[in-house]
C-alpha cells in the first residue's frame, strides 16, 4: 500500500500505463479517496487482503487523487461521497474527463435513495454504503474485483474481436481457394497481417517429407529446406500434430529436450519459435530473435487460423476426390450438406428423379417423393436459362461444371452446378450437386462494378470529374445513403466540398470547407486511417451533421477525404467499411493518375516548345548554310572548267568532296530534328513488310536479310519505322561487313538513298516481294554505326536478322561488332569512321524515343539493337 501523495508522480514512463494492464503481469492499482486517513487506510488494507494481485494508493483529497489519475496508472477508483473540497460525484466527473473508462466505486457513509439514484445516473460502476463489520469491506473488495475483471475483459474483448473478425475473413477467403498452394500462401499472409508474426514459413506435407510452400518476404530461401517427417520443430509438429513453442533455443532451462535439434532449420539470431500443425496437411512456423515472444494468446489464435486453413485444405481435397472418384457420391449422397438430386433415364428418352437429399428439399422445396422430374425442372430453372442436355450426359458420360441461377425457396440464387454421371451395374445415373455462391457472386458483381467505375475514373479528365464519379459510385454501387468527396486545397489548407451528392445535401445542407479544427473528417485526412462514428448523437463533434446518425470518413491519400453518411445509427459494418476502403483506394489511384497526367501534359507542352525551337533552329542553320554552299559548289564547277592542270583538278575534287560532306551534315541535322518529334498517331505495322521495304532502299552488296513472320506486328508510325530500319541496315552492311567500302553519308532519311540522291518510293517498291526467307543485294557502304572496320575482305557478306522479343523486336547482324562502347555509338557525332557524321544511330535513338520505346545497343557476336515497345 502506498499512502504518499507524491510517490510515483515523477517515475519515468508513468503516463504510458494509463488505461492499460500493468506491464509484465504486475499488480493492478486501486486508488482509495477519503478525507479520513484512517478510513482510507482501513479500506485499502481490506482490498489488498481480499483481492489478489492489487496494489492500493490512498489519498485524502480530490486534488491529490486527480493528480494520481492524471500522472500514474490507476485501474480502479474507490471514493467517499462527502469530502471537504468536493463530493464523490464531482470527483467522478473529473476522473472521467481524464479516463472515460476508468471504473469508479462510490463507497460512502452517507447513504440515501437520492444519492444512490444520482450516482447511478452519473455512471458510477458500483454504489456501496459503509458500515461496521467485515462484511461491508468484503462487499467492497468484491465490487473492486468485479470492476477490475470487467475492465480487463472489455479491453481483451476488443483485441480478441479484432483478431476473430480478421480470422473469420481469412476463413471465408480460403474457403474459396482453388488450390492447396493458394491456401498455404494465404496462411503466411494471414500470420503476418493478423498475428503480426513477421518471419514465418508454411510447410506442406508430401508423403514423409515436408516441403516449403510459402515464405515471408524477409525470409530467404536459403533459410529453409525440405525436411523429413519428425525432423526439426516443423517435422515434429506435423508428425505429432501438436503445437510446439520454444521460448529460448539456447539457454532456456525449461525448453524441451533437444530444442536445438528441434529448431532446425533456423539462423543464429533465432531465440523463440512457434510451430503449429495445419491438420495433417503441414504446418506453419514463426520465429523471433526475442525471448519468449509467443504467449498463450498467440498459440490460441494461431491454432484457430491453422484450423480454418486445414478446413479449407480439407474442402479442396474433398472436391478433388469428388471429381476423381465419382462412385463415392453414392455413399455421400444423404450426408452431403449441399443440395443433390439423382436422376436416371426413363422410358421414351425422358428422365426420372431417382432421389433428392435433405439439403435439396430445404433449398428448393421439392422432393423425389412428392414431385416429378419435369415439375422440379420447370420450377427451379428460371425462364430463358439454359438447361442441361440430360440425354447427352447419359450418352457421353462427361461431367459438366458451370455457374447457374436457380429458383429457391428464398428467391433466385447463384450456384456452381456439378453434373456427374456415374455408371452402375444396371444403369447410368446422374448426380447434380449445387454449391451456393450467392454471396460470392454479389461481392464479385460489386467489385466488378467498382472496377468498371475505376476504369472510367482513370479515363476521366480532372479531379472534379473523378470526385463526381466516386460520389455516385458510393451510392449506386455500394448502396450507401449519402456520399461526397472533399479535396485538399494547399492554398487555404482546407478540405473543399468538391463533389457532394444530392442525398448528402438533402441531409446536411450546404457545407463549408473543413479545416484542422473541424473534427472527424479532418482526422481521417490527417491520420490516413478511416474514421467511423456509429452514433453522431452520442458523441461531441466539432461540426454538425444534420440528419445523419452514422459517419464513415475514408482518406484519399494526400488528395483528401471521402465522407459517407447515413440517417441510421451503426450503419457501417465491417463489410461496408472494407468496401468503402476499396473504393477509396481506387479513387486515390485515379486521383494520382490525374495528377501525373496533368504533370505529363505540362511536360509534353514544354518539350514540344523545345522541339519546335530546335527544329526552327535546324531549318534556319541549314538554310543559311545551304545557300553559300550552293554558291561555292557552283563557283567550283566554273573553276573546274577553266583548269587543265592535273594537280589543280585533284585539289578541286577534294574541295568538291568537302562540299558534299557539308551537304550530308546539313541533311542529317534536318533529319535528326524531324525524327525526334513525338509520335502522335500509330498503326499496326507488319515488321516483315517494313523491313523488306527498308532493305530495298539500302545498297546491301552481298549482305543477307532474315525476315520475321509476317504475323509479327508493332504499333508505330510506318514511315519513321522504315527510316529507323534503313539506318540500322546501312549500319550493319557498312560496319558489319569487312569487304571494301565506298564513301557515303551517315544516315538515311525518308526519300533519300545512301548517296544523298532522291529515291522514288515507286522505284523502291519495284523489287521482289519479301517473305519469311533471306535475300541479298549489293550495298553502298555507310558509316552510321561503330562496328569494327577491319579492312581484310570477308569470304561472305554480313547476315542481318529482324526478329521478335517478348516485349518488342531486335535487329542483329553477325559482323565484327563494335570497336567502341555501344552506349557511345548512339550519341550524336560519334563514329569510328573518320568519314562518318555519327548521326545514323543517333537518329535511330531519336525515332525510338519518339515512339516511347526503350533502345539498347549490345555488342554480342556482332551488333544487336533491341527495342522494347511494351512500355
Amino acid at each position: 500500500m502506498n499512502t504518499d501523495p507524491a510517490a510515483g508522480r515523477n517515475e519515468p514512463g508513468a503516463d504510458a500505463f494509463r488505461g492499460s494492464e500493468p506491464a509484465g503481469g504486475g499488480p493492478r492499482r486501486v486508488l482509495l479517496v477519503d478525507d479520513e486517513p484512517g478510513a482510507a487506510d482501513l479500506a485499502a488494507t481490506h482490498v489488498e487482503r481480499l483481492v489478489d494481485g492489487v496494489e492500493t494508493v490512498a489519498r485524502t483529497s480530490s486534488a491529490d487523487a486527480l493528480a494520481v489519475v492524471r500522472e500514474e496508472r490507476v485501474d480502479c477508483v474507490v471514493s467517499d461521497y462527502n469530502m471537504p473540497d468536493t463530493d464523490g460525484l464531482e470527483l467522478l466527473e473529473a476522473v472521467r474527463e481524464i479516463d472515460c473508462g476508468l471504473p469508479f466505486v462510490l463507497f460512502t457513509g452517507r447513504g440515501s435513495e437520492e444519492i444512490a439514484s444520482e450516482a447511478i445516473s452519473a455512471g458510477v460502476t458500483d454504489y456501496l454504503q459503509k458500515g461496521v463489520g467485515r462484511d461491508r469491506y468484503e462487499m467492497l473488495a468484491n465490487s473492486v474485483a468485479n470492476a477490475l475483471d470487467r475492465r480487463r475483459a472489455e479491453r481483451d474483448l476488443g483485441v480478441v474481436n479484432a483478431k476473430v473478425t480478421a480470422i473469420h475473413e481469412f476463413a471465408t477467403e480460403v474457403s474459396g481457394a482453388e488450390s492447396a498452394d493458394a491456401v498455404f500462401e494465404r496462411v503466411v499472409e494471414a500470420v503476418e497481417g493478423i498475428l503480426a508474426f513477421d518471419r514465418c514459413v508454411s510447410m506442406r506435407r508430401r508423403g514423409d517429407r515436408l516441403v516449403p510452400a510459402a515464405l515471408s518476404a524477409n525470409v530467404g530461401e536459403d533459410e529453409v529446406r525440405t525436411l523429413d517427417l519428425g525432423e526439426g520443430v516443423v517435422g515434429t509438429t506435423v508428425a505429432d500434430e501438436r503445437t510446439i513453442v520454444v521460448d529460448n533455443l539456447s539457454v532456456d532451462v525449461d525448453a524441451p529436450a533437444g530444442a536445438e535439434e528441434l529448431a532446425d532449420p533456423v539462423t543464429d539470431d533465432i531465440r523463440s519459435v512457434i510451430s503449429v500443425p495445419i491438420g495433417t496437411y503441414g504446418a506453419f512456423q514463426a520465429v523471433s530473435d526475442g525471448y519468449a515472444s509467443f504467449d498463450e494468446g498467440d498459440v490460441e489464435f494461431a491454432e484457430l487460423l491453422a484450423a480454418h486453413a486445414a478446413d479449407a485444405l480439407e474442402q479442396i481435397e474433398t472436391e478433388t476426390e469428388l471429381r476423381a472418384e465419382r462412385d463415392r457420391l453414392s455413399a455421400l449422397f444423404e450426408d452431403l450438406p449441399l443440395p443433390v438430386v439423382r436422376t436416371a433415364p426413363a422410358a421414351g428418352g425422358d428422365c426420372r428423379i431417382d432421389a433428392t437429399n435433405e439439403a435439396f428439399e430445404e433449398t428448393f422445396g421439392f422432393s423425389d417423393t412428392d414431385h416429378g422430374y419435369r415439375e422440379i425442372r420447370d420450377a427451379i430453372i428460371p425462364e430463358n436459362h439454359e438447361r442441361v442436355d440430360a440425354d447427352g450426359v447419359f450418352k457421353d458420360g462427361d461431367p459438366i461444371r458451370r455457374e447457374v441461377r436457380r429458383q429457391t425457396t428464398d428467391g433466385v440464387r447463384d450456384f456452381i452446378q456439378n453434373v456427374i454421371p456415374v455408371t452402375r451395374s444396371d444403369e447410368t445415373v446422374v448426380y447434380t450437386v449445387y454449391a451456393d455462391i450467392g454471396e460470392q457472386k454479389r461481392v464479385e458483381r460489386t467489385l466488378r462494378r467498382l472496377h468498371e467505375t475505376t476504369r472510367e475514373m482513370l479515363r476521366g479528365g480532372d479531379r472534379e470529374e473523378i470526385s463526381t464519379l466516386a460520389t455516385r459510385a458510393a451510392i449506386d454501387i455500394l448502396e450507401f445513403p449519402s456520399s461526397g468527396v472533399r479535396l485538399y486545397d494547399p492554398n487555404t489548407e482546407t478540405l473543399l466540398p468538391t463533389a457532394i451528392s444530392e442525398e448528402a445535401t438533402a441531409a446536411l445542407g450546404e457545407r463549408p470547407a473543413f479545416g484542422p479544427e473541424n473534427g472527424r473528417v479532418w482526422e481521417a485526412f490527417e491520420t490516413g486511417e478511416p474514421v467511423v462514428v456509429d452514433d453522431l448523437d452520442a458523441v461531441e463533434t466539432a461540426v454538425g451533421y444534420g440528419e445523419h446518425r452514422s459517419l464513415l470518413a475514408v482518406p484519399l491519400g494526400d488528395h483528401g477525404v471521402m465522407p459517407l453518411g447515413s440517417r441510421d445509427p451503426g450503419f457501417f459494418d465491417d463489410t461496408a467499411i472494407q468496401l468503402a476502403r476499396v473504393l477509396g483506394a481506387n479513387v486515390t489511384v485515379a486521383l494520382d493518375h490525374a495528377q501525373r497526367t496533368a504533370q505529363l501534359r505540362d511536360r509534353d507542352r514544354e518539350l514540344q516548345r523545345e522541339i519546335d525551337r530546335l527544329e526552327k533552329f535546324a531549318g534556319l542553320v541549314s538554310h543559311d548554310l545551304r545557300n553559300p554552299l550552293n554558291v561555292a559548289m557552283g563557283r567550283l564547277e566554273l573553276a573546274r572548267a577553266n583548269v587543265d592542270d592535273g594537280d589543280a583538278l585533284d585539289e578541286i575534287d577534294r574541295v568538291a568532296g568537302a562540299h558534299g560532306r557539308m551537304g550530308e551534315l546539313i541533311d542529317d541535322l534536318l533529319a535528326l530534328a524531324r525524327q525526334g518529334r513525338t509520335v502522335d498517331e500509330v498503326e499496326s505495322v507488319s515488321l516483315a513488310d517494313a523491313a523488306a521495304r527498308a532493305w530495298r532502299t539500302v545498297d546491301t552488296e552481298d549482305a543477307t536479310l532474315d525476315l520475321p513472320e509476317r504475323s509479327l506486328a508493332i504499333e508505330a508510325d510506318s514511315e519513321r519505322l522504315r527510316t529507323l530500319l534503313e539506318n540500322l541496315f546501312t549500319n550493319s552492311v557498312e560496319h558489319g561487313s569487312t569487304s571494301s567500302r565506298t564513301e557515303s553519308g551517315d544516315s538515311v532519311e525518308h526519300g533519300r538513298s545512301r548517296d544523298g540522291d532522291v529515291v522514288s518510293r515507286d522505284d523502291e517498291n519495284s523489287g521482289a516481294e519479301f517473305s519469311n526467307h533471306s535475300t541479298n543485294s549489293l550495298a553502298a557502304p555507310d558509316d552510321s554505326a561503330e562496328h569494327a572496320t577491319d579492312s581484310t575482305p570477308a569470304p561472305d557478306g554480313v547476315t542481318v536478322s529482324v526478329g521478335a522479343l517478348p516485349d518488342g523486336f531486335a535487329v542483329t547482324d553477325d559482323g565484327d561488332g563494335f570497336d567502341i562502347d555501344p552506349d557511345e555509338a548512339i550519341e550524336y557525332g560519334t563514329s569510328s569512321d573518320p568519314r562518318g557524321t555519327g548521326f545514323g544511330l543517333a537518329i535511330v535513338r531519336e525515332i525510338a524515343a519518339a515512339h516511347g520505346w526503350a533502345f539498347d545497343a549490345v555488342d554480342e557476336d556482332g551488333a544487336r539493337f533491341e527495342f522494347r515497345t511494351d512500355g
Side-chain angles (χ1 to χ4, degrees):
M1 182 173 63
N2 180 358
T3 59
D4 182 3
R9 290 188 182 181
N10 298 319
E11 293 179 4
D15 286 342
F17 294 98
R18 183 178 302 129
S20 302
E21 285 294 319
R28 293 170 290 178
R29 307 186 80 214
V30 179
L31 172 63
L32 295 106
V33 187
D34 198 311
D35 59 321
E36 292 290 337
D41 291 344
L42 180 60
T45 299
H46 280 286
V47 168
E48 284 191 351
R49 184 175 301 166
L50 296 173
V51 182
D52 294 333
V54 299
E55 173 186 277
T56 59
V57 181
R59 295 292 183 266
T60 57
S61 71
S62 61
D64 289 343
L66 288 174
V68 173
V69 173
R70 187 178 296 108
E71 300 174 10
E72 303 178 29
R73 177 180 58 78
V74 175
D75 299 300
C76 180
V77 176
V78 177
S79 174
D80 190 15
Y81 179 79
N82 277 328
M83 291 180 286
D85 55 345
T86 186
D87 62 36
L89 296 182
E90 291 175 349
L91 178 60
L92 167 64
E93 182 178 357
V95 166
R96 289 288 167 82
E97 289 179 358
I98 301 172
D99 185 347
C100 62
L102 186 61
F104 193 101
V105 177
L106 195 62
F107 189 53
T108 178
R110 177 191 171 191
S112 68
E113 291 185 3
E114 179 182 356
I115 295 175
S117 175
E118 191 176 354
I120 292 172
S121 298
V124 296
T125 306
D126 202 356
Y127 172 83
L128 299 173
Q129 291 188 15
K130 296 179 182 178
V132 179
R134 177 183 175 86
D135 61 327
R136 308 309 297 176
Y137 291 101
E138 289 177 348
M139 292 178 62
L140 174 62
N142 185 60
S143 177
V144 169
N146 289 338
L148 291 172
D149 291 344
R150 188 160 51 249
R151 180 171 172 82
R152 171 184 289 172
E154 289 172 352
R155 185 211 61 191
D156 292 345
L157 183 60
V159 175
V160 169
N161 283 343
K163 289 187 176 181
V164 168
T165 299
I167 290 176
H168 175 71
E169 293 173 353
F170 161 81
T172 302
E173 181 178 347
V174 296
S175 67
E178 296 183 354
S179 68
D181 289 340
V183 174
F184 281 102
E185 289 176 2
R186 188 64 187 92
V187 164
V188 170
E189 295 173 1
V191 169
E192 291 176 324
I194 300 173
L195 305 184
F197 300 167
D198 61 353
R199 300 182 65 185
C200 55
V201 57
S202 62
M203 305 286 287
R204 184 175 181 180
R205 180 175 180 175
R206 296 189 181 276
D208 291 335
R209 302 280 284 171
L210 294 175
V211 179
L215 313 175
S216 293
N218 56 358
V219 175
E221 293 186 0
D222 58 339
E223 295 183 64
V224 297
R225 62 181 175 85
T226 299
L227 298 172
D228 291 327
L229 189 65
E231 179 185 2
V233 171
V234 178
T236 304
T237 296
V238 177
D240 297 348
E241 292 188 33
R242 64 182 177 90
T243 299
I244 295 178
V245 177
V246 182
D247 290 337
N248 193 327
L249 294 173
S250 57
V251 299
D252 189 352
V253 297
D254 295 325
E260 290 85 349
E261 290 75 16
L262 285 176
D264 183 66
V266 296
T267 55
D268 293 339
D269 62 335
I270 301 304
R271 296 187 67 189
S272 302
V273 178
I274 181 173
S275 189
V276 183
I278 304 177
T280 60
Y281 305 99
F284 72 83
Q285 182 186 73
V287 297
S288 171
D289 57 1
Y291 170 75
S293 298
F294 307 105
D295 57 22
E296 293 181 359
D298 292 329
V299 172
E300 182 178 353
F301 284 115
E303 290 179 341
L304 179 59
L305 188 148
H308 286 304
D311 289 342
L313 291 168
E314 183 178 5
Q315 177 180 333
I316 292 172
E317 184 179 66
T318 300
E319 292 174 352
T320 302
E321 290 176 354
L322 284 172
R323 290 190 298 267
E325 302 177 31
R326 300 172 184 174
D327 291 341
R328 294 179 59 196
L329 286 172
S330 296
L332 295 173
F333 182 77
E334 291 300 334
D335 297 329
L336 195 67
L338 303 177
V340 184
V341 58
R342 185 170 65 225
T343 56
D350 205 351
C351 297
R352 61 181 172 82
I353 297 294
D354 189 53
T356 56
N357 69 351
E358 184 178 349
F360 185 93
E361 297 169 11
E362 292 176 353
T363 302
F364 297 107
F366 294 94
S367 68
D368 61 296
T369 57
D370 299 327
H371 307 89
Y373 171 78
R374 289 182 175 274
E375 181 182 4
I376 296 176
R377 182 195 65 184
D378 295 341
I380 71 173
I381 300 179
E383 187 177 354
N384 298 325
H385 280 64
E386 183 182 0
R387 298 177 178 180
V388 173
D389 180 8
D391 188 52
V393 174
F394 284 123
K395 289 181 178 179
D396 299 337
D398 294 329
I400 297 174
R401 184 180 188 274
R402 62 179 186 170
E403 290 186 11
V404 298
R405 306 200 79 194
R406 291 292 182 260
Q407 181 70 46
T408 72
T409 56
D410 298 328
V412 177
R413 286 156 53 184
D414 294 289
F415 294 90
I416 293 291
Q417 181 191 47
N418 289 282
V419 182
I420 308 169
V422 177
T423 301
R424 293 177 171 175
S425 58
D426 55 340
E427 64 179 352
T428 296
V429 296
V430 172
Y431 290 89
T432 303
V433 184
Y434 292 94
D436 191 346
I437 56 170
E439 180 62 20
Q440 173 187 333
K441 297 298 291 184
R442 186 191 70 81
V443 173
E444 286 179 358
R445 286 192 291 268
T446 299
L447 293 177
R448 191 180 304 115
R449 293 183 65 191
L450 282 180
H451 178 67
E452 292 170 356
T453 300
T454 301
R455 295 177 61 182
E456 186 176 358
M457 288 190 291
L458 289 173
R459 292 192 299 265
D462 52 26
R463 303 193 330 155
E464 287 73 18
E465 184 176 350
I466 292 170
S467 300
T468 300
L469 289 170
T471 298
R472 290 315 311 170
I475 295 175
D476 299 337
I477 299 176
L478 302 186
E479 300 180 354
F480 294 159
S482 71
S483 68
V485 171
R486 288 179 170 270
L487 297 182
Y488 179 69
D489 180 10
N491 295 323
T492 61
E493 296 185 347
T494 59
L495 294 169
L496 302 179
T498 308
I500 305 298
S501 69
E502 296 177 359
E503 294 83 350
T505 302
L508 302 170
E510 295 298 326
R511 308 296 282 167
F514 282 177
E517 70 282 356
N518 294 124
R520 306 298 176 126
V521 174
W522 184 270
E523 178 186 341
F525 174 66
E526 190 171 50
T527 63
E529 294 294 332
V531 172
V532 184
V533 181
D534 289 330
D535 190 350
L536 290 165
D537 288 353
V539 298
E540 293 291 332
T541 57
V543 297
Y545 289 93
E547 300 175 7
H548 280 166
R549 292 286 301 278
S550 299
L551 171 68
L552 170 59
V554 180
L556 304 177
D558 296 331
H559 302 287
V561 176
M562 190 170 192
L564 308 164
S566 171
R567 290 180 170 88
D568 299 324
F571 178 84
F572 298 102
D573 57 16
D574 291 341
T575 300
I577 294 171
Q578 188 62 33
L579 290 173
R581 291 179 73 124
V582 171
L583 175 59
N586 291 348
V587 175
T588 303
V589 169
L591 291 171
D592 288 340
H593 179 266
Q595 188 177 59
R596 287 194 300 270
T597 300
Q599 293 170 348
L600 289 174
R601 286 172 181 164
D602 292 341
R603 182 185 175 191
D604 285 347
R605 284 192 290 268
E606 181 61 31
L607 288 175
Q608 188 58 51
R609 286 194 294 269
E610 183 65 21
I611 290 171
D612 292 343
R613 287 195 297 268
L614 290 174
E615 191 168 350
K616 183 177 180 181
F617 170 75
L620 182 64
V621 170
S622 66
H623 179 271
D624 290 349
L625 289 178
R626 196 182 297 276
N627 284 341
L629 179 61
N630 290 337
V631 172
M633 293 174 68
R635 292 293 183 185
L636 187 63
E637 292 303 315
L638 291 176
R640 187 192 300 275
N642 296 323
V643 174
D644 295 328
D645 181 79
D647 292 340
L649 288 173
D650 288 342
E651 293 299 327
I652 288 175
D653 288 340
R654 292 189 182 93
V655 173
H659 287 167
R661 183 72 172 145
M662 293 171 65
E664 291 173 1
L665 287 169
I666 292 171
D667 290 340
D668 285 345
L669 178 62
L670 287 173
L672 191 62
R674 284 196 297 269
Q675 303 307 339
R677 290 191 299 244
T678 301
V679 173
D680 295 322
E681 296 184 3
V682 296
E683 59 182 329
S684 181
V685 181
S686 167
L687 189 58
D689 291 345
R693 288 195 300 271
W695 187 259
R696 285 195 290 267
T697 63
V698 176
D699 293 330
T700 56
E701 294 187 351
D702 56 352
T704 301
L705 175 64
D706 285 340
L707 292 174
E709 295 290 335
R710 284 188 179 274
S711 59
L712 176 60
I714 59 175
E715 297 295 318
D717 181 305
S718 60
E719 288 302 315
R720 293 167 83 174
L721 173 62
R722 180 174 176 177
T723 300
L724 177 146
L725 293 170
E726 288 171 342
N727 278 280
L728 290 176
F729 293 161
T730 302
N731 170 78
S732 293
V733 171
E734 169 65 13
H735 295 282
S737 174
T738 58
S739 61
S740 59
R741 301 165 183 152
T742 60
E743 294 186 11
S744 71
D746 188 62
S747 63
V748 176
E749 295 181 56
H750 290 170
R752 185 163 65 86
S753 68
R754 296 306 304 156
D755 58 6
D757 294 334
V758 175
V759 178
S760 167
R761 291 304 187 198
D762 293 334
D763 294 339
E764 295 168 4
N765 295 333
S766 64
E769 290 300 318
F770 284 73
S771 60
N772 298 324
H773 62 275
S774 300
T775 184
N776 300 340
S777 68
L778 295 176
D782 179 40
D783 59 2
S784 60
E786 320 316 325
H787 294 21
T789 58
D790 188 350
S791 61
T792 303
D796 298 308
V798 67
T799 296
V800 182
S801 301
V802 181
L805 296 175
D807 53 355
F809 68 95
V811 177
T812 63
D813 66 53
D814 58 358
D816 297 322
F818 294 89
D819 60 0
I820 64 173
D821 189 307
D823 291 336
E824 294 181 12
I826 62 177
E827 295 297 328
Y828 304 125
T830 302
S831 177
S832 62
D833 190 335
R835 298 168 296 173
T837 63
F839 279 103
L841 288 185
I843 290 176
V844 171
R845 186 189 66 182
E846 290 299 324
I847 294 175
H851 283 85
W853 302 340
F855 170 47
D856 289 313
V858 182
D859 190 2
E860 181 180 325
D861 296 329
R864 180 178 178 85
F865 304 98
E866 298 179 347
F867 300 87
R868 312 290 176 180
T869 62
D870 295 344

